[in-house]
Amino acid sequence: MVATPLERRLYSVHEARRLAQRALPQAIFDFVDGGAEEERTLRRNEAAFGELELLPRPLDGTRVRDQSVSLFGKRLALPVLVGPTGLSGLLWPDGELATARAAARAGTVYCLSHGSTCTIEQLAADGTGLRWMQVFMYRDRELTRAFAERALTAGYDALVLTTDNQVLGNRERDLRNGFTIPPRFTGATMLGMLSRTPWLWRMRGRRDLTFANYVGTSGASDIASLAARMSSLLDPAASWVDVAWLRALWPGPLLLKGVLHPDEARRAVAEGIDGIVVSNHGGRQLDGAPASLDALPAIV
């Protein structure tokens, strides 16, 4: 398969970030790129990978390189997954569908965010490869049940319960930029968007952009009404009782995302959880948490 000119320019994560900063309005780039408060945890995440050392033994080589791995009975071409990222469709038209297609082309898993701009069913109908679905514990447990049942009916391969976002983090870049969902069209935001005319052109006709999976849950469909309601849906009192309830409800692989403490990992195994995502939510929630990579050894 021949790479496009854009794909040839995306030769590293650093370069992809640089191009994204040039392409997106500042407030939207900061929404994606930023973390909570002073962003210490965000920086720790990156620094931890910078400190990781690989010790090669080149004479134990092979003519055929194979990065494939088996996970929950499925064979992946490489051990890198695409985690749930909300509002990808704000960055690129049909952003979730495009990313899922790219993951399928690479032979790996795509996890759909609860806050996606396409529905659970639309992604499934797109015929992409391995699909996981992110869920939360809501004050109304029937909403959690509905998400799980929709994912099951649509044929998703696993369910990912995110546990570290029940109270939203204080993301200072968004506060500084006056960023809201949907964006408020102040003079500053309008100027920022007008300076990114290719993004504006791509996003033309996307005025109906919304949290697609929540449409109809409260009679609201527009993004403003749904955004105002979503933080109130999350239940900060979620507990292991709820994990057991979801485990009984979901017949396939169930993962916990947001685990940093070894005791919580042990409890997850005891509760019949199939997988753990060691994560501090990308440094977007609790500033001061350890880097996810630093927390990994004790959990393993």
Side-chain angles (χ1 to χ4, degrees):
M1 187 172 292
V2 179
T4 66
L6 178 59
E7 288 171 337
R8 285 194 291 270
R9 293 175 66 192
L10 297 172
Y11 50 78
S12 70
V13 173
H14 176 80
E15 185 62 10
R17 179 182 181 274
R18 189 184 71 83
L19 292 174
Q21 189 168 21
R22 289 176 55 188
L24 296 172
Q26 186 65 46
I28 293 177
F29 173 80
D30 280 345
F31 165 68
V32 176
D33 188 65
E37 299 185 14
E38 297 178 5
E39 302 187 349
R40 291 170 295 166
T41 298
L42 187 153
R43 291 192 296 272
R44 284 174 188 168
N45 281 342
E46 187 170 355
F49 276 97
E51 293 297 318
L52 185 66
E53 295 179 335
L54 305 177
L55 190 61
R57 292 192 294 179
L59 293 179
D60 289 339
T62 175
R63 289 187 176 90
V64 180
R65 293 184 296 276
D66 182 5
Q67 299 182 65
S68 64
V69 61
S70 291
L71 190 62
F72 306 132
K74 307 289 185 179
R75 195 72 182 172
L76 310 185
L78 72 164
V80 179
L81 317 180
V82 180
T85 307
L87 289 177
S88 294
L90 186 61
L91 316 179
W92 192 273
D94 298 322
E96 291 89 3
L97 297 177
T99 308
R101 291 168 193 152
R105 192 172 74 179
T108 191
V109 171
Y110 174 75
C111 183
L112 183 66
S113 167
H114 74 112
S116 57
T117 61
C118 72
T119 66
I120 296 168
E121 294 78 12
Q122 285 170 333
L123 184 72
D126 197 54
T128 51
L130 295 171
R131 300 180 299 272
W132 295 357
M133 181 63 209
Q134 178 192 42
V135 295
F136 286 87
M137 278 298 164
Y138 301 105
R139 295 177 190 272
D140 180 1
R141 296 296 189 270
E142 289 307 304
L143 182 56
T144 302
R145 181 195 296 272
F147 269 69
E149 290 178 348
R150 287 171 62 188
L152 183 63
T153 301
Y156 279 66
D157 299 285
L159 203 64
V160 180
L161 174 61
T162 296
T163 63
D164 60 357
N165 197 38
Q166 299 299 105
V167 177
L168 298 182
N170 188 40
R171 298 173 190 173
E172 294 183 4
R173 286 204 223 182
D174 293 346
L175 296 172
R176 182 168 59 250
N177 291 326
F179 179 80
T180 60
I181 300 172
R184 278 199 305 264
F185 293 103
T186 64
T189 56
M190 284 297 293
L191 186 62
M193 290 179 181
L194 289 172
S195 69
R196 299 293 189 268
T197 50
W199 175 84
L200 272 177
W201 178 251
R202 282 193 298 271
M203 300 303 293
R204 68 193 185 281
R206 300 282 167 169
R207 295 177 183 176
D208 59 345
L209 206 65
T210 190
F211 294 103
N213 288 311
Y214 291 87
V215 172
T217 60
S218 63
S221 61
D222 65 286
I223 193 170
S225 301
L226 289 170
R229 182 171 180 262
M230 281 177 62
S231 62
S232 68
L233 294 175
L234 299 169
D235 187 359
S239 70
W240 286 106
V241 172
D242 300 303
V243 173
W245 169 78
L246 187 62
R247 173 70 286 177
L249 180 67
W250 177 260
L254 178 62
L255 296 89
L256 281 190
K257 180 177 181 291
V259 177
L260 291 173
H261 200 292
D263 289 347
E264 197 162 65
R266 294 188 191 97
R267 179 70 181 267
V269 173
E271 295 287 344
I273 296 300
D274 300 291
I276 291 168
V277 182
V278 179
S279 169
N280 55 32
H281 215 89
R284 293 166 69 81
Q285 282 300 103
L286 176 64
D287 200 23
S292 300
L293 193 61
D294 288 342
L296 181 63
I299 288 176
V300 172

